[in-house]
Amino acid sequence: MSVLGTRVVRIEDPRLLTTGATYVDDLRIPQLAGAAFVTYVRSPLAHARITGIDVSAAAEAPGVVAVFTANDLDDVPPPPADNPLAEPLLAKDVVRYVGEPVAMVITETRAQGEDAVELVAVDYEPLDAVVDVEEAAKDEVLLFPEAGTNIVAPNGPEEFDDAPFAECEVVIERTFRNQRVAPVPMEVRSAAAAWDGERVTVWSSNQNAQTTRMIIAGGLGVEPDKVRVITPDVGGGFGAKIGVDRDTVLVAWAARRLGRAVRWTETRSESLIAMQHGRAQVHKVKLGGNRDGKILAYRMDFMQDAGAYPRVGPLLANFTTLMVPAVYEIPTVQIRSKVVLTNTTPVGAYRGAGRPEATATIERLVDIFADEIGMDPAEVRRRNLIPADKFPYTTATGLVYDSGEYVKALDRVLEAAGYEELRAEQERRRAAGDTKLLGIGLSSYVEVTALDFPNGETGRVVIHRDGSATVYTGSHTQGQGHATSWAMIVQDQLGIPMDKVTVIHGDTDAIPVGTGTYASRSLQVGGIAVHECAVKIKEQARELAARELEADPADLVLDTDSGAWHVQGVPGTKLDWARLAELAGEDGLTADVHFKPSRPTFPFGAHLAVVEVDTETGLVRLVRHISLDDAGPLINPILAEGQRHGGIAQGVAQALYEEMAYDAEGNPVTASLADYSMISAAELPSFELLTMETPTDVNPLGVKGIGEAGTIGATPAVQNAVVDALSHLGVRHIEMPATPERVWKAINEARGSEKRAAQ
């Protein structure tokens, strides 16, 4: 019996949940003995010219080993001359956001660094700052005057064609903001570095050791083989730890300059203002259709706030563009985007990276359209969802959706939720004048996973002479449960028990080539690489067993329950993996695979959120959340449920609580967890998870990614539920997060409009 699809408890959890885990800041190893500590001097202004830096007082402070500024970086490659928007290791002439590193102080203890940075005197000449992305696009304040514009990646037509909308009976236009959020991983950024001659070892908390090695090598101006990166246990990333920031490159540089090991761990406040943020888009949208519920035309004209440096802003805009058509069969889809620089923290990947933004907008629009034509939003969705018999389906953006049952997913969620009963309860409360109104919100979604599919992933499996196996993977866990999943795949193929399978990742000496964990790609790329390794080893073993048993290889069978080979029909004479590894001799039983899928996959699903909205206070409480997230066959339902739980929580957080906000001068106003309303379990009900498994033909296990599904589906469902609760009062839209203040204002504005209309 295959172990795949069974509820195997995560084998890594006992270690992670006790004192057995080792994060970068926990490292107490000989290479880091006596390491000095880095503390960064960060800009307090969003936009200013640096006119002078005096480090003399700091240099004399207790425990200070050195103080470095940009002028000291005389042995690193200069920024590319053809890239005026290049991000320096330390700001030299101009700072462009609050939190940008200006200098680094090296001290004997961490506490001494906290004191010494206060003594670094930086003279700033303030410059006008631009925070709002729409204002930045006017180019009245330029972050890089030499570039002549803040717009770095315009894409799409100069003019739109309005003809398709002219034929629609109903046309709605809106502007939505998908607010900026902070990743807030449990483990903040942390790094350590130690040189051994001409080679450096860097320990870093991130999602991809191999990419990190390339970035550090490039930043230091050394060959990649002079850099070893080790990523021990990582406490969350959510996209913000793909590769490394300059802060980590500087740790490696400082260790080289000082000839001494150096380490750094940021504070929580540093993490909030200096670690990359997510989302931050403004969508101007137009949707047209007929009163029979059919949507005929959809246009999205949007801006991606990239923050102070472009980084992956263009990539995020591209991801949103790809997913604009969503789950619907819409004849006309028009898209235009701009990536715009602002005096804020740079924006990067954050759970879903561009896909949740596209889904949030069209799901909000579908509800508004349904309200406009007086039709139930579930029925509008049902009439426009891509039918199951249309797959594989090519979207207006050129993507080929592999497989899907969108209508079935929606109907199953509606049935499980008791949709009609919920609507009846909603009406009962409204009729009774209840101050706690019920809101019911829907979303249907499709996402793309492993969009970087040409990169592929590395896998290696080695069988040892004690019958155990070691798996080397270029994928990297930050809590996803790779050790359990990869061991299950090996047990399924080879019959080696999971407790005899060791999974190695996150060390570039052990795995020189790898792509890492992001974009929900791990199982469908890295897991398949391991699967293919096991398949190859099985064929090697078949040949060995055939020679040993003097039989035709075709007659050999592997009993995966016992992990032993025998001739078909002769189970009494067996060869186990220990014996086969011995027979393999010096060559050993091993296989290496770099698996490249032919294309990405497209998980999908439907969510329904039920909220109570207190009309006297504006407080929103999520009371139920029902989701169906179809990512194909599940290797381990427990792991999939964990991913869905985390994703839904983050989606609810964006809808109701979290926002990284700035004032007009570019000062962050949510720079601590006292201000940034990070969600906790106390704000959440138990989620009701439905399952459906629609396989893909892209890989041999039929699996798709599920790491970001909950985030994509939950956010619009909750936002729609809040507006739905108040729609009979005249509320048509509430921006995220739907805080009590924002909800209360919407209620009172609607009531004010009613009174003015009555007068």
Side-chain angles (χ1 to χ4, degrees):
M1 176 181 174
S2 173
V3 70
L4 301 187
T6 59
R7 302 179 67 84
V8 177
V9 176
R10 288 165 46 117
I11 59 178
E12 54 267 78
D13 279 355
R15 187 178 64 82
L16 292 171
L17 295 174
T18 64
T19 57
T22 302
Y23 302 92
V24 172
D25 203 48
D26 298 327
L27 290 169
R28 300 293 182 268
I29 53 179
Q31 298 99 311
L32 297 178
F37 292 83
V38 171
T39 307
Y40 285 103
V41 177
R42 298 187 182 277
S43 171
L45 300 177
H47 200 193
R49 195 178 313 282
I50 299 172
T51 57
I53 303 178
D54 184 353
V55 304
S56 57
E60 297 299 321
V64 172
V65 176
V67 183
F68 296 121
T69 68
N71 290 331
D72 298 303
L73 303 171
D74 51 6
D75 56 350
V76 299
D82 60 349
N83 180 11
L85 310 182
E87 190 169 351
L89 289 177
L90 286 171
K92 185 173 184 179
D93 301 317
V94 176
V95 290
R96 296 182 175 86
Y97 65 95
V98 172
E100 181 161 13
V102 175
M104 61 190 309
V105 177
I106 318 294
T107 52
E108 296 290 349
T109 70
R110 186 171 296 163
Q112 290 167 336
E114 295 295 325
D115 293 334
V117 293
E118 300 296 330
L119 301 176
V120 177
V122 184
D123 293 327
Y124 296 102
E125 176 190 335
L127 300 171
D128 290 338
V130 60
V131 176
D132 182 87
V133 68
E134 293 176 281
E135 289 299 314
K138 296 176 182 175
D139 285 339
E140 294 172 355
V141 175
L142 293 175
L143 273 73
F144 295 87
E146 59 273 38
T149 180
N150 293 324
I151 300 171
V152 296
N155 194 15
E158 286 288 327
E159 300 290 337
F160 285 118
D161 179 9
D162 273 327
F165 294 93
E167 298 173 1
C168 298
E169 295 173 354
V170 176
V171 176
I172 52 178
E173 294 186 71
R174 293 289 188 279
T175 298
F176 298 141
R177 293 182 181 274
N178 203 289
Q179 82 271 27
R180 174 184 290 253
V181 294
V184 201
M186 188 172 289
E187 181 199 18
V188 295
R189 293 180 299 171
S190 185
W195 288 78
D196 182 7
E198 296 298 315
R199 195 164 190 257
V200 64
T201 299
V202 179
W203 295 264
S204 173
S205 174
N206 70 70
Q207 299 171 223
N208 183 351
Q210 292 76 19
T211 297
T212 296
R213 179 179 62 165
M214 300 302 291
I215 294 172
I216 292 173
L220 298 178
V222 302
E223 293 299 317
D225 64 359
K226 300 299 183 185
V227 179
R228 178 188 185 185
V229 173
I230 298 174
T231 54
D233 290 313
V234 175
F238 310 119
K241 293 181 181 175
I242 297 174
V244 294
D245 297 333
R246 49 180 153 173
D247 313 62
T248 293
V249 178
L250 284 164
V251 169
W253 174 85
R256 181 173 68 179
R257 175 60 65 94
L258 296 173
R260 177 179 178 180
V262 169
R263 63 195 311 162
W264 162 73
T265 298
E266 66 182 350
T267 65
R268 178 57 68 185
S269 290
E270 272 187 296
S271 182
L272 280 163
I273 66 168
M275 189 181 204
Q276 70 178 33
H277 295 155
R279 307 286 188 256
Q281 292 186 357
V282 175
H283 297 178
K284 293 183 182 299
V285 287
K286 188 172 184 177
L287 184 142
N290 288 341
R291 294 195 174 277
D292 65 359
K294 287 296 291 182
I295 299 171
L296 302 176
Y298 178 38
R299 174 188 300 167
M300 181 188 283
D301 187 4
F302 74 99
M303 293 184 185
Q304 170 70 62
D305 180 353
Y309 296 95
R311 294 195 183 176
V312 299
L315 196 62
L316 299 177
N318 187 39
F319 287 173
T320 299
T321 296
L322 289 172
M323 300 312 297
V324 164
V327 288
Y328 302 110
E329 196 174 29
I330 305 175
T332 297
V333 178
Q334 302 174 351
I335 309 166
R336 182 167 62 193
S337 69
K338 293 177 181 174
V339 178
V340 184
L341 300 175
T342 61
N343 290 115
T344 58
T345 300
V347 172
Y350 172 71
R351 204 164 188 168
R355 291 98 84 193
E357 295 89 324
T359 301
T361 285
I362 194 164
E363 289 305 289
R364 191 78 273 284
L365 271 177
V366 167
D367 265 29
I368 294 172
F369 177 67
D371 184 64
E372 189 70 26
I373 63 174
M375 185 177 289
D376 189 287
E379 184 57 27
V380 172
R381 284 177 172 80
R382 195 179 286 111
R383 294 187 183 194
N384 290 282
L385 289 170
I386 300 166
D389 61 3
K390 291 289 185 72
F391 291 90
Y393 179 85
T394 302
T395 72
T397 53
L399 291 179
V400 179
Y401 294 168
D402 48 1
S403 58
E405 292 248 26
Y406 299 167
V407 176
K408 183 177 179 181
L410 175 64
D411 286 344
R412 284 201 53 198
V413 165
L414 293 171
E415 181 183 2
Y419 188 63
E420 298 303 324
E421 292 80 1
L422 286 171
R423 286 293 179 200
E425 171 63 12
Q426 181 183 55
E427 285 303 314
R428 188 197 66 75
R429 292 195 191 194
R430 288 175 176 177
D434 201 323
T435 58
K436 291 187 177 178
L437 297 174
L438 204 65
I440 305 150
L442 285 168
S443 76
S444 292
Y445 75 91
V446 59
E447 63 159 325
V448 56
T449 57
L451 189 56
D452 70 330
F453 61 95
N455 290 328
E457 190 54 275
T458 296
R460 184 179 188 221
V461 176
V462 179
I463 310 299
H464 305 289
R465 295 192 179 191
D466 63 355
S468 66
T470 299
V471 174
Y472 297 86
T473 176
S475 191
H476 189 294
T477 182
Q478 312 112 49
Q480 289 90 345
H482 286 20
T484 302
S485 297
W486 287 197
M488 291 176 71
I489 290 171
V490 170
Q491 178 173 327
D492 172 66
Q493 282 297 310
L494 303 182
I496 296 175
M498 290 178 61
D499 60 3
K500 297 184 71 174
V501 179
T502 301
V503 177
I504 305 293
H505 62 81
D507 184 340
T508 56
D509 274 8
I511 310 109
V513 179
T515 308
T517 291
Y518 53 84
S520 297
R521 67 189 303 280
S522 294
L523 181 60
Q524 68 188 78
V525 187
I528 298 300
V530 174
H531 175 270
E532 295 300 279
C533 285
V535 170
K536 290 176 70 172
I537 285 178
K538 196 158 61 176
E539 292 312 305
Q540 294 173 24
R542 182 186 300 280
E543 296 294 331
L544 285 172
R547 284 202 295 271
E548 182 69 7
L549 297 175
E550 297 181 345
D552 188 320
D555 293 336
L556 269 292
V557 294
L558 171 63
D559 178 359
T560 54
D561 289 338
S562 64
W565 291 82
H566 63 82
V567 176
Q568 179 78 38
V570 190
T573 303
K574 296 181 179 180
L575 290 175
D576 62 16
W577 286 106
R579 175 60 180 154
L580 287 166
E582 184 180 347
L583 291 172
E586 292 299 318
D587 294 338
L589 266 178
T590 183
D592 294 85
V593 168
H594 190 81
F595 175 73
K596 290 185 178 182
S598 58
R599 59 187 192 277
T601 66
F602 294 86
F604 63 92
H607 285 222
L608 187 150
V610 183
V611 301
E612 276 186 350
V613 180
D614 188 328
T615 55
E616 295 183 333
T617 66
L619 181 66
V620 177
R621 186 169 70 92
L622 180 67
V623 294
R624 289 182 68 191
H625 195 95
I626 303 98
S627 86
L628 188 152
D629 302 293
D630 188 332
L634 300 179
I635 298 297
N636 184 336
I638 291 179
L639 291 176
E641 289 168 8
Q643 291 289 327
R644 294 170 70 186
H645 275 257
I648 292 171
Q650 268 180 304
V652 175
Q654 183 177 5
L656 297 181
Y657 303 106
E658 297 187 15
E659 180 173 25
M660 194 66 209
Y662 290 84
D663 67 16
E665 283 72 44
N667 299 303
V669 296
T670 51
S672 77
L673 291 182
D675 306 306
Y676 188 85
S677 299
M678 186 182 174
I679 200 167
S680 73
E683 287 81 43
L684 296 167
S686 293
F687 303 137
E688 300 166 48
L689 306 183
L690 310 178
T691 58
M692 197 165 83
E693 299 182 4
T694 305
T696 179
D697 62 356
V698 174
N699 59 69
L701 294 180
V703 296
K704 308 179 184 181
I706 200 168
E708 288 145 314
T711 314
I712 297 170
T715 307
V718 175
Q719 187 184 22
N720 281 340
V722 175
V723 179
D724 177 71
L726 306 171
S727 60
H728 66 298
L729 302 177
V731 174
R732 293 291 175 264
H733 180 67
I734 298 175
E735 291 282 14
M736 298 186 294
T739 60
E741 180 188 21
R742 196 165 275 163
V743 172
W744 187 84
K745 283 182 176 177
I747 294 169
N748 283 279
E749 285 173 3
R751 285 172 171 166
S753 298
E754 280 185 355
K755 287 181 180 177
R756 288 191 293 275
Q759 292 168 357

